[in-house]
Amino acid sequence: MPPDAEIDAFAEAGRLLFARPFVFVKGCVRIADLPEMDKVEIAFAGRSNVGKSSLINALTGTSNLARTSNTPGRTQELNIFESAGEPLRIVDMPGYGFAQAPKPKVEAWTRLIHQYLTGRATLRRVYVLVDGRHGPRGNDLSVMNELDKAAVSYQVVLTKADKPSPTDLRKAIAATTAAVAKRPAAHPTIIVTSSERGDGIAELRAEIARLLAH
Ligand code: GDP
């Protein structure tokens, strides 16, 4: 297929993939709670408040799907979303960077994440959400370190791209591109999104459709 036709084909496949509704399946606090490894999984990770729920809602074309995962009690779980008949499972990971959380909770969360990232054969890619106003910070870099160590493929998605000025957004993109450049498990391309304006959503859907095809 010529390159342009291939891009169009994945854009259409991405649109179709998310044309049918995704629903909340369950929240998992233990690895044993996870569904069978019968679908390709993509996971979304990011600091609390980075815009993860909004992005999952925009991706799936719903207004409140991922709100479930932002309700108290669900924030420390791996929240699972699926669409009937689709070979894709979305895993919403707990937001990190909540300094106020009690230590045992943070430890349990860290253990769950570590087990999930290192032991899940069906996990195809982690989308690491980073605030588009400034690019990656301490916690974001720690997560990337862990993903590199676990050799789990990941790609950075900048969020809230409508907020910074064009100059600041360009700086954030440059800083992010530099931050992933030498990382072994990172996808070199950054996806720039705004859930508010819809920027980058079609591109993200196409990228996920491409993952499923390979
Ligand atoms: P989460 O904690 O990572 O799930 O973040 P949320 O999706 O709940 O978003 C946190 C805050 O950022 C909310 O007030 C959202 O309205 C806001 N927000 C999320 N995405 C965008 C975006 O693309 N643009 C703008 N301007 N605000 C956003």
Side-chain angles (χ1 to χ4, degrees):
M1 225 187 284
D4 282 355
E6 189 184 302
I7 289 168
D8 288 349
F10 285 120
E12 179 59 7
R15 191 187 65 76
L16 287 173
L17 181 61
F18 292 98
R20 276 189 288 174
F22 272 76
V23 295
F24 174 69
V25 176
K26 67 193 309 202
C28 307
V29 285
R30 284 176 301 267
I31 287 296
D33 298 339
L34 285 167
E36 268 184 65
M37 293 198 247
D38 56 355
K39 289 176 189 279
V40 173
E41 289 173 9
I42 54 167
F44 288 85
R47 290 168 63 96
S48 303
N49 220 36
V50 73
K52 185 157 57 67
S53 306
S54 305
L55 187 78
I56 292 174
N57 287 339
L59 179 71
T60 55
T62 53
S63 57
N64 61 1
L65 180 68
R67 190 185 299 153
T68 329
S69 50
N70 252 353
T71 52
R74 291 239 173 266
T75 51
Q76 321 230 317
E77 303 181 347
L78 293 168
N79 288 297
I80 310 289
F81 306 102
E82 294 177 7
S83 174
E86 295 289 3
L88 178 69
R89 174 174 296 130
I90 295 173
V91 181
D92 184 5
M93 298 178 72
Y96 44 84
F98 42 88
Q100 271 85 324
K103 206 169 163 225
K105 279 205 157 181
V106 174
E107 282 168 4
W109 172 83
T110 307
R111 204 162 45 240
L112 176 68
I113 298 303
H114 182 76
Q115 287 175 328
Y116 176 70
L117 293 178
T118 52
R120 193 76 177 165
T122 39
L123 175 59
R124 185 65 61 82
R125 182 170 291 167
V126 177
Y127 287 98
V128 178
L129 275 46
V130 168
D131 197 311
R133 285 171 295 188
H134 43 65
R137 295 211 161 144
N139 277 329
D140 304 314
L141 298 170
S142 307
V143 166
M144 292 185 208
N145 288 343
E146 170 140 18
L147 291 166
D148 281 321
K149 225 168 17 178
V152 174
S153 160
Y154 62 96
Q155 184 166 21
V156 174
V157 176
L158 289 181
T159 60
K160 307 187 188 183
D162 58 286
K163 280 200 164 179
S165 67
T167 308
D168 286 347
L169 180 61
R170 266 199 303 277
K171 281 187 196 160
I173 293 171
T176 311
T177 305
V180 302
K182 292 205 173 76
R183 292 179 170 272
H187 194 291
T189 311
I190 312 297
I191 301 182
V192 182
T193 66
S194 160
S195 303
E196 196 118 316
R197 283 199 313 228
D199 301 1
I201 302 301
E203 194 185 337
L204 180 57
R205 287 178 181 160
E207 188 64 38
I208 295 165
R210 188 188 294 269
L211 274 184
L212 285 179
H214 290 111

